[in-house]
Amino acid sequence: QLGKLENVQKGLKLKLQGRQAQLEAADAAEQKASRDLEAARQRLGLLQDLERNMEGYQYSVKTVMKAAQNRRLRGIVGPVGTLLRVQKGCEAAIETALGAAAQNLVVDGEASAKAAIAFLKQEKAGRATFLPLDTVQPSHLDASRLPQGARVASSLVEYDPRYENVVSNLLGRILVVEDLDDASRVARQMGYRIVTLDGQVINTGGGFTGGSLSRSAGLFSRRQEIEELKKKTAALEKKLDEAQQATDRWKDEVDGLNAQLTASASEAVVAGGVKIR
């Protein structure tokens, strides 16, 4: 009987050793998932605060939007940059194509634009450009004549159909291509402003504008990162939950094996008056 109990204990100890290793691995995975989730939440919170505070927008634009929120101004739709959803990978191109126009304020009509301008004058809060939905005219080019690899900038954004004329006016005659070599090729064929995916420009007339861009500085890049972080946070929350379940499962097995070892040792004492080591 003592020999049998000794064999049982050896088997339990071997099994326990494996389960403890799995518990340690599960616990390490849980801790890592927890750290990753906390880092993602902190970054997301920071960017959302910047978005809520309209960081990067002109003081005049912030002033008008705050007045609209407080109902001191009516008919203010919002800055162009907040009304567009850019295809992934095209953020730099669209930010460059729009330039300062990303901060133009869309309003529901001419009367709202006049009221907002009067408000800025009264508050001495600077100047802003307003785009009334009832007066802005569209601007198109013939997409069927585009050279290979060229796309109209307006086709790279999603927006409410109400803003069709605004988007067409700002982006309807700007072409987007892969790189500067493509831009040079297309520029020889068509006399339009051409922007590359990384934000380099060949202007109408042949002038080049380019250099480095800061990804974190762009309004669209920031919004894209927020969307990516929301998805990442959700995935990490699921991963952490699964890791916690795994840790609990292995802990239960380790506790169960320890209990079996204790019971086996007690049986050995009863059987032989000796505690097997």
Side-chain angles (χ1 to χ4, degrees), residues 90-124:
C90 299
E91 295 88 0
I94 298 302
E95 286 166 3
T96 302
L98 283 172
Q103 303 205 27
N104 290 357
L105 285 158
V106 176
V107 295
D108 62 4
E110 185 178 335
S112 297
K114 291 178 179 177
I117 289 172
F119 173 79
L120 287 175
K121 288 175 65 178
Q122 176 185 333
E123 297 293 318
K124 294 182 174 56

Side-chain angles (χ1 to χ4, degrees), residues 16-147:
L16 177 61
Q17 185 178 6
R19 295 298 184 270
Q20 285 176 327
Q22 288 170 313
L23 174 59
E24 290 174 3
D27 184 63
E30 179 183 341
Q31 296 302 319
K32 183 179 186 304
S34 179
R35 291 193 299 271
D36 291 345
L37 177 58
E38 182 60 26
R41 282 175 172 169
Q42 287 183 358
R43 177 64 178 170
L44 177 59
L46 172 63
L47 292 177
Q48 287 176 326
D49 284 343
L50 294 175
E51 193 75 3
R52 278 192 295 269
N53 296 329
M54 299 188 71
E55 191 69 25
Y57 285 92
Q58 298 170 357
Y59 176 71
S60 57
V61 175
K62 292 181 183 179
T63 301
V64 169
M65 292 306 300
K66 185 175 181 180
Q69 291 168 4
N70 295 333
R71 298 186 178 181
R72 296 180 65 187
L73 288 173
R74 297 188 180 277
I76 308 298
V77 178
V80 169
T82 66
L83 306 179
L84 306 180
R85 184 180 181 86
V86 183
Q87 286 186 21
K88 187 174 182 180
C90 299
E91 295 88 0
I94 298 302
E95 286 166 3
T96 302
L98 283 172
Q103 303 205 27
N104 290 357
L105 285 158
V106 176
V107 295
D108 62 4
E110 185 178 335
S112 297
K114 291 178 179 177
I117 289 172
F119 173 79
L120 287 175
K121 288 175 65 178
Q122 176 185 333
E123 297 293 318
K124 294 182 174 56
R127 299 164 65 86
T129 298
F130 297 88
L131 303 174
L133 292 174
D134 60 353
T135 64
V136 173
Q137 298 300 309
S139 179
H140 299 286
L141 55 81
D142 186 357
S144 64
R145 296 178 53 248
L146 292 182

Side-chain angles (χ1 to χ4, degrees), residues 176-206:
V176 176
V177 296
E178 181 75 22
D179 54 35
L180 207 51
D181 290 336
D182 285 338
S184 297
R185 173 178 55 81
V186 172
R188 295 188 188 98
Q189 301 176 52
M190 306 188 73
Y192 295 104
R193 189 168 184 238
I194 302 167
V195 181
T196 67
L197 289 178
D198 64 349
Q200 316 308 317
V201 183
I202 295 183
N203 300 289
T204 304

